[in-house]
Amino acid sequence: MTTVFLALASAIGFGVSDFVGGVASRRVTALRVVIVSYPLSVLLVLAFAPFVGGEISGESLLWGAASGVGAGLAVWWFYLALASGPMAVISPLTAVLVAGLPVTVGIMLGERPGAVAYFGIVAALAAVVLVSRESTDGGAGPVIGGRQMRFSRTVAWLTFGSGVTFAFSFIALGQIPAGTGLWPLAAARGAATAVVWLVALCTWQFRPPRGEILRLSVFVAVLDVTANAAFMFALQGGLLSLVSVIGSLYPAATVLLAMVMLGERVSRIQVTGMLLALASVAMIAVAATFVG
């Protein structure tokens, strides 16, 4: 049951982080937010790692670094896709890859979570897609800045790439052995920082934000560390197929905050998705109790 709570905490942390980062990204590009939040997350992890303890091993650091590279590439490709394509298509497709691929890998590795868990996994996958849908969904995409947002072949590849690399980041975290503390997470955030800094420098966007956006970036860093630490420890105590699917429910938290804090309208489809998400967590929690 502790594993389920940690996975749920990570989903909430990821969702709140996405909400705060999204608010900041309405005023500056998302890349300018993460070039600050990622290195700050490294410092935060390094500050707490000695108190948590754990053995430093080459294997755990390599898996952590691999996870960070995946996360850095995923963020870059995801926002490139959003810059040219319709979010109503990109977001759910990315979400189902992030949720579905780790589940598939876990089952291929021999995990057998049980019948109730399988129902929960299917419900969670459906919930992620429904919650990620925009309330307005035009066929060719909305028009932004006088330009129609089309789901072109390039956008499709960027969406696929971001979903796969996000999923790989989850899977790599799942390979980190227990007893290594927060040190692998430091490697992960360090590698992610290197990726986004390189991208920012190559695209001439290496300009740290100031004022309120800088404060939001600091908040994003705190949430990022909390969510990733909870997710990593959940994976060390539970099945990849169960933990990853709960962690991928983060869009529900983002949508709920947007509704409460920003007064954004939520469609019936999204409400259905959030209710389905709650049901899926309950089913997976029951299954995890028997598995554990």
Side-chain angles (χ1 to χ4, degrees):
M1 189 60 71
T2 301
T3 297
V4 174
F5 282 129
L6 284 172
L8 192 56
S10 72
I12 294 172
F14 286 135
V16 177
S17 176
D18 277 2
F19 172 77
V20 176
V23 170
S25 298
R26 291 184 175 185
R27 296 175 55 182
V28 299
T29 60
L31 196 57
R32 292 182 62 192
V33 175
V34 294
I35 62 172
V36 172
S37 66
Y38 275 12
L40 282 176
S41 67
V42 176
L43 296 178
L44 286 171
V45 174
L46 290 176
F48 285 100
F51 299 98
V52 176
E55 178 185 356
I56 301 177
S57 68
E59 178 189 0
S60 64
L61 293 180
L62 283 174
W63 278 117
S67 174
V69 170
L73 289 174
V75 167
W76 176 30
W77 290 339
F78 182 65
Y79 286 113
L80 279 178
L82 290 179
S84 303
M87 183 180 293
V89 179
I90 294 168
S91 185
L93 284 179
T94 303
V96 77
L97 287 169
V98 175
L101 288 179
V103 171
T104 304
V105 170
I107 293 174
M108 289 175 62
L109 292 176
E111 295 182 359
R112 297 296 181 265
V116 175
Y118 283 126
F119 281 115
I121 289 170
V122 172
L125 292 173
V128 169
V129 175
L130 295 177
V131 170
S132 301
R133 298 288 295 181
E134 286 185 317
S135 56
T136 55
D137 189 6
V143 176
I144 297 178
R147 180 167 57 94
Q148 194 169 52
M149 312 298 280
R150 296 184 179 276
F151 193 71
S152 63
R153 180 176 297 181
T154 299
V155 172
W157 277 111
L158 288 170
T159 302
F160 177 78
S162 65
V164 170
T165 46
F166 267 129
F168 171 78
S169 179
F170 276 17
I171 294 167
L173 280 181
Q175 305 309 305
I176 296 173
T180 53
L182 291 174
W183 301 111
L185 187 56
R189 307 331 289 158
T193 299
V195 171
V196 297
W197 275 24
L198 180 62
V199 172
L201 287 169
C202 291
T203 57
W204 303 96
Q205 296 186 58
F206 198 88
R207 291 177 293 135
R210 299 178 180 179
E212 181 184 358
I213 306 303
L214 179 59
R215 290 190 290 272
L216 289 175
S217 299
V218 174
F219 191 25
V220 168
V222 174
L223 292 167
D224 177 71
V225 170
T226 304
N228 277 281
F231 189 75
M232 183 179 69
F233 289 135
L235 285 169
Q236 291 175 1
L239 301 180
L240 173 64
S241 54
L242 297 184
V243 173
S244 61
V245 78
I246 295 179
S248 65
L249 292 172
Y250 61 86
T254 306
V255 170
L256 186 60
L257 279 173
M259 179 179 66
V260 175
M261 303 296 293
L262 302 179
E264 292 188 3
R265 298 180 63 182
V266 178
S267 68
R268 291 181 181 178
I269 291 178
Q270 289 173 308
V271 173
T272 302
M274 286 189 278
L275 293 175
L276 199 56
L278 291 175
S280 71
V281 170
M283 285 186 282
I284 291 173
V286 171
T289 301
F290 288 104
V291 172

